[in-house]
Amino acid sequence: MTADDTGPGAGTSPARGGDDASAGRIYTRRAAYQSPPGGALDVDRGLYAAVAAADRRLVEEFEIPIRSGRAWQVPAGHIVRIHQTDGPQVGDLNLWNLHDPRERFWAARTRQLQRSSMTVHDRFWSTLPALRPLATMIADTLADHPDAAVIHDLLGTRCDPYVNRMLSGEDFDRHCHSNLTRAVLPHGLTELDVHDVLNVFQMAGLNHRHEYFMDACPARPDDYVEIFAEVDLLMALSTCPGGDLSVHMWGPEAASTEEQLAHCHPLGVQVFAVDDAALERRRPPEKAAYRGADGLHGLGV
């Protein structure tokens, strides 16, 4: 049974039933958010192909140990490569406008404007009232993976000690939320600034019962993503305490700490400056053009 995008009720959900209520159903309704050719969602692929292929110079490099986090600054026009080191590892990524951290990555709107998992040419959209691309993904070695549609997940968010306490009755201080919080404190931010993430290298989606699931990270030591900074950024990345997520962290089948640690690996980060010639066509993203009063825009409330 399929749902096309014509006729009354096309694309609507089936009646809720047992585990197989939606088995075999394919939704073909067009994306709700679209722009005309040359509009905000029509990416200049030639520009980003040139940027990805341009001569570059390494300006910073570091490794984030297991179950920890780090924050760093990225100038506009630079490329950030996040790469595997010695084994599959998931990372939780946050982005802020370096000069105004109230403008930060908006995962929910990015899901709507792009897709539920990110890949090449997808953009990291920022919060209101700015609503502009903070960054653009320009390389993804997993883009051709058979499960690419559910890798680099935007559906879920960071694991946190509050949910862990609720589900397990135990306290644990190395969740991604905690790692990101510790990472941004030296930059003048707090726990309240940590926000919904891009789960880099994470394989996750909705199962046949529309429940959120996570599966083993398919990345190999030579896999990476590259992100182009559209504005000056503060970025923060946590190495997930679940490692490659091949074992359960909660519930009756939860793995022991020792079992989880066996699946944890560091993540590497490199920051590159790009040859100026590749950036000649680039224009800094402008903030949203809306200036109406209905939303009290610009009044600081």
Side-chain angles (χ1 to χ4, degrees), residues 153-278:
D153 167 52
L154 277 175
L155 286 171
T157 188
R158 63 217 183 270
C159 57
D160 68 75
Y162 305 96
V163 168
N164 187 82
R165 176 76 180 192
M166 180 180 72
L167 295 179
S168 70
E170 299 178 358
D171 288 337
F172 178 64
D173 299 326
R174 296 290 169 179
H175 284 289
C176 288
H177 178 84
S178 311
N179 296 341
L180 291 168
T181 298
R182 287 190 294 270
V184 301
L185 288 176
H187 297 268
L189 304 185
T190 73
E191 178 180 18
L192 298 179
D193 295 294
V194 174
H195 52 276
D196 283 352
V197 300
L198 171 65
N199 293 299
V200 188
F201 302 115
Q202 181 165 307
M203 181 175 171
L206 302 179
N207 66 16
H208 62 292
R209 293 192 293 182
H210 308 289
E211 299 165 330
Y212 183 72
F213 75 87
M214 299 182 292
D215 209 339
C217 171
R220 298 181 178 181
D222 57 348
D223 281 320
Y224 62 85
V225 296
E226 289 187 342
I227 299 167
F228 179 77
E230 303 284 0
V231 302
D232 293 341
L233 293 174
L234 177 68
M235 301 180 73
L237 181 67
S238 165
T239 47
C240 182
D244 63 8
L245 302 181
S246 61
V247 296
H248 292 285
M249 296 181 66
W250 299 283
E253 299 178 4
S256 67
T257 299
E258 292 74 19
E259 290 173 318
Q260 292 181 31
L261 285 170
H263 295 271
C264 291
H265 304 275
L267 283 172
V269 175
Q270 295 171 305
V271 181
F272 299 94
V274 180
D275 184 77
D276 288 342

Side-chain angles (χ1 to χ4, degrees), residues 114-119 122 140 142-155 198 202-206 213 218:
Q114 308 291 175
R115 66 193 75 228
S116 60
S117 292
M118 297 187 73
T119 190
D122 288 335
D140 174 14
L142 293 169
D144 295 326
H145 190 278
D147 293 308
V150 290
I151 299 172
H152 310 310
D153 167 52
L154 277 175
L155 286 171
L198 171 65
Q202 181 165 307
M203 181 175 171
L206 302 179
F213 75 87

Side-chain angles (χ1 to χ4, degrees), residues 85-105:
T85 56
D86 57 351
Q89 173 66 40
V90 167
D92 285 40
L93 181 66
N94 269 186
L95 292 79
W96 297 262
N97 176 341
L98 177 63
H99 309 294
D100 178 12
R102 284 190 173 184
E103 182 185 6
R104 60 192 191 184
F105 172 47

